[in-house]
Amino acid sequence: MELTTIKDFEQYALDHLGTLANSYYATPAVSGTTYNENITAYQNYKFRPRYLRDVRHVCTELDVQGHKTSLPIGLSPTAHHCLAHPLGEKASASSAEAENVIMIVSLMSDFPMEDIAKAAPNATLWQQFYILADEEVMLDLLRRAEQAGVKAIVLTVDQSSWRKHECYDNDDIKELFSKAKYGNFQKYIAKDSDFVTQFMKLMPWETNYASWDQVTWLKSQTRLPIIVKGLMTAEDAVLAIERKVDGILVSNHGGRHMDGLQGTLDALPAIVKAVDGKVDVYVDGGIRSGQDVFKALALGAKMVFVGRPILWGLAYDGAKGVSHVLDILKSELKYTMQLTGCTNISEITDDYVIRTESISKL
């Protein structure tokens, strides 16, 4: 069966992955309104194409945090890739290396960060972090990331609490915790202890405590760029700039943890305006096509990151499946650029999109 759209890959994953993987990958928070908002937000913007331009040569390359990437599309941090394919994050990183795109490696990866880096030695890898309850463990993880050769730290800040009554009462999630490898954390927990219990004590949702001072502390501990992931307001973006972060990733955790949020695309313009070019702004959530990528770039994102589609590609054919997903997004992006009259990423501005409500007022 030939898969030609991201929707095809989603359906393949739903049909072929087991209940455990689908439950973990697909389940949104509560009623799923945030998850749906992420997707439908893109439908609220229409194109304003400019014609009679020379679009024979289209370039999608750009520089991000000092590294050249072939696409303004990267891999968002998603946990437990081994649920989709035995090679898990190793396969995903191999694809990122082959396609020359950025991969944010989840702190909850099945394989340790060192093994993932070795599997793709020439890949541009960023390492996701959380504010952990144990500062010594966090600092050791940071040193390991530096030694593994990652190019940036992505600090996820939107998970200071967790709906225990929903997660722990779900049999599939219980099974996940019993089987998950959590490769980065094996060295910190005694083999004869209850791994899940000890692991959870390290997590930010157990302490319910995180502050901007901890962002400052992390920044002081490394020379790597610090990207803050999970901001959804202009006010927090201003605070991030004051803390000297190197980038902001607009994200609501794929709609997995808090319902009732606006879609990330709708949150993007205000954050871009507040940042005023001081640092890069990225976005993830709800991206299902190259057209979506174009709209995000037009509204000010430096680049986008995709999560679930990567897992669907991984489930289909490992590293080749991930590359297939990226190739589809690239082809659709280039096609959209040509039809709107853009030949490189820097030309994509908000002149090329219009919000649906604005059309009705014309």
Side-chain angles (χ1 to χ4, degrees), residues 16 25 40 42 62 66 106 138 152 169 292 295-296:
H16 292 84
Y25 290 156
T40 58
Y42 285 90
L62 72 162
S106 172
M138 192 173 176
D169 291 342
D292 292 344
K295 291 174 182 179

Side-chain angles (χ1 to χ4, degrees), residues 123-142:
T124 301
L125 303 178
W126 295 358
Q127 179 63 55
Q128 183 208 27
F129 261 66
Y130 287 100
I131 295 173
L132 302 181
D134 190 320
E135 191 173 279
E136 290 186 8
V137 171
M138 192 173 176
L139 189 58
D140 188 61
L141 284 164
L142 181 60

Side-chain angles (χ1 to χ4, degrees), residues 50-337:
R50 299 296 305 277
Y51 297 125
L52 297 176
R53 293 181 172 181
D54 184 355
V55 291
R56 288 174 294 178
H57 304 289
V58 173
C59 178
T60 60
E61 294 181 350
L62 72 162
D63 290 318
V64 181
Q65 299 294 337
H67 298 275
K68 186 175 290 293
T69 178
S70 68
L71 283 173
I73 304 168
L75 283 62
S76 250
T78 49
H80 307 309
H81 286 205
C82 284
L83 291 177
H85 190 276
L87 292 179
E89 295 87 5
K90 293 180 180 180
S92 301
S94 294
S95 174
E97 179 182 51
E99 302 299 322
N100 189 25
V101 299
I102 296 168
M103 176 180 177
I104 306 176
V105 180
S106 172
L107 192 62
M108 310 305 176
S109 58
D110 287 314
F111 291 104
M113 61 180 79
E114 295 87 349
D115 292 0
I116 299 168
K118 288 178 182 177
N122 296 313
T124 301
L125 303 178
W126 295 358
Q127 179 63 55
Q128 183 208 27
F129 261 66
Y130 287 100
I131 295 173
L132 302 181
D134 190 320
E135 191 173 279
E136 290 186 8
V137 171
M138 192 173 176
L139 189 58
D140 188 61
L141 284 164
L142 181 60
R143 297 294 170 251
R144 289 171 57 190
E146 291 171 336
Q147 292 170 9
V150 305
K151 306 303 182 185
I153 299 298
V154 179
L155 182 66
T156 296
V157 299
D158 62 353
Q159 203 175 0
S160 58
S161 184
W162 196 1
R163 306 174 321 281
K164 296 180 182 179
H165 62 287
E166 295 179 28
C167 293
Y168 288 121
D169 291 342
N170 184 304
D171 289 339
D172 293 327
I173 298 301
K174 289 180 180 178
E175 183 183 356
L176 168 68
F177 280 128
S178 69
K179 292 182 176 180
K181 299 177 183 178
Y182 293 104
N184 288 319
F185 291 90
Q186 295 294 331
K187 66 174 287 189
Y188 306 116
I189 298 174
K191 295 183 186 296
D192 58 350
S193 65
D194 181 339
F195 181 87
V196 173
T197 299
Q198 297 304 312
F199 167 77
M200 294 300 289
K201 287 181 179 179
L202 290 170
M203 295 299 106
W205 48 84
E206 288 296 300
T207 62
N208 302 127
Y209 175 73
S211 74
W212 285 105
D213 287 342
Q214 289 165 305
V215 176
T216 301
W217 172 82
L218 183 62
K219 179 76 176 174
S220 72
Q221 296 299 317
T222 182
R223 293 183 179 180
L224 291 174
I226 301 295
I227 316 298
V228 174
K229 176 181 181 289
L231 302 188
M232 289 289 290
T233 65
E235 293 89 338
D236 275 346
V238 170
L239 291 175
I241 296 299
E242 291 176 357
R243 297 292 173 155
K244 309 296 184 183
V245 304
D246 300 284
I248 293 171
L249 175 45
V250 180
S251 176
N252 55 32
H253 225 100
R256 290 174 60 84
H257 292 296
M258 185 176 183
D259 222 13
L261 293 174
Q262 66 182 154
T264 50
L265 187 73
D266 288 331
L268 177 64
I271 291 176
V272 169
K273 182 178 180 181
V275 168
D276 193 27
K278 296 181 178 69
V279 299
D280 289 348
V281 178
Y282 318 114
V283 68
D284 72 3
I287 295 161
R288 299 294 184 266
S289 69
Q291 290 88 344
D292 292 344
V293 176
F294 184 98
K295 291 174 182 179
L297 299 179
L299 293 181
K302 175 80 172 186
M303 66 176 292
V304 308
F305 289 88
V306 292
R308 289 181 178 93
I310 299 302
L311 297 170
W312 301 334
L314 189 64
Y316 177 66
D317 193 15
K320 291 181 180 178
V322 174
S323 290
H324 194 167
V325 165
L326 291 170
D327 287 344
I328 288 173
L329 293 174
K330 179 178 181 178
S331 176
E332 291 175 345
L333 173 61
K334 292 184 70 173
Y335 176 74
T336 305
M337 290 173 66

